[in-house]
Amino acid sequence: DARLNAWRNRPLHDKKYPFLIVDALVVKVRRDGAVRSTGVLIIYGINEEGIREPLDLLVADSESASSWGEIFKRLKERGLNGLELVVSDDHAGLVSAVNQQFQGVIWQRCQTHFMRNILGCSPRHLKQEIANDVKLIFKAENKAVAVQLARNIIARHEDKAPKAMDCLENGLEDGIAVLLLPQRYRQRLRTSNLAERMNEEIRRRERVIRIFPNEEAVMRLIGALLAEKYDEWQAASKYFDMTE
């Protein structure tokens, strides 16, 4: 507990954190005599030196704006500064909390999840064609090219796949926000894959337990893993060369 508290409350004001990658997962916790699905909110940062860090976690409702607001407030109280871009899935409540707590910051909608949303609305016989077209948007040289490609794709498919094209049009700006960054940063910041890979490590340990006896046990297990990963990443090679 002491080690976890020290890691969760370490000051952040010594460095700037231009990038945050945000995700949540759901675990089963025994509470009030029943097994209940419970959210775990996890924040990762990439600091001005190009080193990635797990920053914090919170056991709370992963769909609630107030829950996300609480963990974002904690980061600000610890001195988080210099934020430019937040990457996440389109969680209900999360985007609202980002806009409220980090005004002026760019939100990048995870392109992997965005693609799934688009294809989920697509007719089966057009899924592969639409997927190939949307990939061209994501790989565009700049935002202007991406927007033009999107217009062409929407015009071509709107009659046969109207729901998918509505999804693409409505989420386009947030889905290509990463194109504002220099080329070398786009691949790793276009999705929340960093967080997804960590979720796999968490799941591997969670499967052994299956049902946590209480929320404190969730914090101890996942928090200990994140604290260990923090130490490992501090000694690892830089995630980004931050020259640009």
Side-chain angles (χ1 to χ4, degrees):
D1 287 344
R3 182 187 175 198
L4 177 58
N5 288 333
W7 171 75
R8 286 193 72 216
N9 294 298
R10 71 191 188 281
L12 301 175
H13 51 71
D14 293 339
K15 298 174 183 174
K16 292 182 179 179
Y17 291 83
F19 308 130
L20 290 187
I21 298 176
V22 182
D23 200 16
L25 69 162
V26 176
V27 297
K28 293 187 179 298
V29 180
R30 198 175 298 281
R31 189 168 64 248
D32 299 330
V35 176
R36 304 175 189 271
S37 296
T38 303
V40 184
L41 286 52
I42 307 177
I43 313 289
Y44 303 90
I46 301 168
N47 66 33
E48 61 188 340
E49 297 174 356
I51 297 173
R52 52 190 165 157
E53 300 181 21
L55 295 180
D56 204 358
L57 79 160
L58 182 69
V59 179
D61 180 1
S62 61
E63 300 300 324
S64 165
S66 61
S67 297
W68 288 108
E70 180 180 347
I71 194 169
F72 291 153
K73 285 178 185 176
R74 271 186 49 82
L75 293 177
K76 292 197 295 184
E77 288 167 358
R78 289 166 55 197
L80 181 76
N81 67 99
L83 182 60
E84 294 287 341
L85 182 81
V86 176
V87 185
S88 77
D89 186 13
D90 188 23
H91 284 289
L94 190 158
V95 180
S96 174
V98 168
N99 291 335
Q100 185 175 3
Q101 299 297 328
F102 299 124
Q103 291 185 28
V105 168
I106 300 166
W107 175 56
Q108 168 62 41
R109 181 174 179 174
C110 173
Q111 291 182 355
T112 300
H113 291 91
F114 187 27
M115 177 72 86
R116 289 176 192 162
N117 298 148
I118 295 168
L119 296 182
C121 300
S122 303
R124 183 178 300 177
H125 68 285
L126 287 176
K127 284 183 187 291
Q128 190 58 59
E129 183 179 349
I130 290 174
N132 292 338
D133 286 344
V134 173
K135 285 177 185 176
L136 294 177
I137 299 173
F138 293 161
K139 294 178 180 179
E141 181 180 352
N142 55 54
K143 188 174 177 180
V145 172
V147 170
Q148 187 57 54
L149 284 169
R151 287 174 181 164
N152 296 341
I153 291 166
I154 291 169
R156 190 162 67 252
H157 293 297
E158 62 183 348
D159 290 338
K160 295 182 179 180
K163 291 182 179 179
M165 295 303 100
D166 284 346
C167 182
L168 172 59
E169 187 172 19
N170 293 335
L172 180 65
E173 284 291 329
D174 298 320
I176 61 173
V178 73
L179 295 180
L180 295 171
L181 298 177
Q183 185 73 40
R184 70 167 66 188
Y185 305 105
R186 296 176 186 175
Q187 181 63 27
R188 285 179 165 174
L189 292 173
R190 69 183 186 85
T191 70
S192 56
N193 282 357
L194 183 153
E196 295 288 346
R197 286 193 295 270
M198 278 300 302
N199 284 350
E200 291 175 7
E201 295 195 31
I202 293 169
R203 290 296 187 196
R204 206 160 55 239
R205 291 155 177 81
E206 179 226 1
R207 280 194 292 269
V208 177
I209 297 171
R210 294 182 57 224
I211 300 172
F212 288 92
N214 49 53
E215 292 185 358
E216 289 76 14
V218 178
M219 288 292 293
R220 286 170 181 155
L221 179 79
I222 300 179
L225 175 61
L226 294 175
E228 288 178 5
K229 191 59 67 172
Y230 169 80
D231 293 337
E232 179 185 323
W233 285 350
Q234 291 296 306
S237 58
K238 293 182 178 181
Y239 197 61
F240 282 135
D241 175 350
M242 298 292 281
T243 305
E244 292 181 62

